[in-house]
Amino acid sequence: MKKAKDIMSTEVVMIQGSATVKEAINLMKETGLRALIVDRRNEEDAYGIVTETDIVYKVIAYGKDPSTVQVHEIMTKPVITVNPDLGVEYVARLFANTGIRRAPVIQGEVIGIVSVSDILRKAVF
């Protein structure tokens, strides 16, 4: 069975929680990514995630100015993470049980991100 590390994307873009949502939008546009990992403030802190859905549902839908809202105000933290050796079936089950679509793959630090699309495109059934 394939593992998370076999199907994950290694293109991970980090952003600080203090960045504005406008900066996050620009970074997503530049990279073509749908989610950014929010970096830890220190070694004991948890990672976060901000997605295009967070931006649309929590900022745009309420007419807020993305240049005045900070990422930490709308991100999910702590984020659900995946071990690189977790089997794809278990990653899929984790996503199904929690309703998430993507999760960072952590081995001490972020080494990738795995998504529902990765499971469909890269896993063998």
Side-chain angles (χ1 to χ4, degrees), residues 107-121:
Q107 191 167 41
E109 61 183 20
V110 177
I111 61 168
I113 190 164
V114 65
S115 70
V116 170
S117 298
D118 293 326
I119 294 170
L120 287 177
R121 288 188 197 129

Side-chain angles (χ1 to χ4, degrees), residues 8 18 23 27 34 38 47 49 53 58 68-69 90 92 95 100 111 114 125:
M8 71 182 186
S18 59
E23 291 172 303
L27 196 52
R34 295 177 165 184
V38 182
Y47 288 102
I49 192 168
T53 304
K58 299 174 183 176
T68 64
V69 179
Y90 296 104
F95 285 10
I100 62 173
I111 61 168
V114 65
F125 304 103

Side-chain angles (χ1 to χ4, degrees), residues 5-117:
K5 65 184 174 188
D6 300 323
I7 66 165
M8 71 182 186
S9 169
T10 55
E11 183 183 356
V12 178
V13 177
M14 308 284 278
I15 193 165
Q16 296 296 318
S18 59
T20 66
V21 170
K22 183 175 182 176
E23 291 172 303
I25 292 169
N26 290 338
L27 196 52
M28 286 177 173
K29 286 180 180 179
E30 288 170 19
T31 60
L33 298 175
R34 295 177 165 184
L36 304 172
I37 302 300
V38 182
D39 205 2
R40 303 180 297 180
R41 291 174 292 181
N42 56 55
E43 291 294 318
E44 289 80 38
D45 197 14
Y47 288 102
I49 192 168
V50 63
T51 68
E52 61 187 1
T53 304
D54 293 327
I55 293 169
V56 171
Y57 289 7
K58 299 174 183 176
V59 179
I60 307 304
Y62 288 96
K64 295 180 181 177
D65 181 354
S67 63
T68 64
V69 179
Q70 291 184 313
V71 168
H72 73 84
E73 297 176 60
I74 66 163
M75 69 181 182
T76 300
K77 182 177 178 178
V79 67
I80 295 172
T81 63
V82 171
N83 181 297
D85 292 316
L86 190 63
V88 171
E89 178 183 330
Y90 296 104
V91 174
R93 193 172 303 151
L94 174 67
F95 285 10
N97 290 339
T98 59
I100 62 173
R101 298 184 47 82
R102 61 188 57 83
V105 181
I106 308 271
Q107 191 167 41
E109 61 183 20
V110 177
I111 61 168
I113 190 164
V114 65
S115 70
V116 170
S117 298

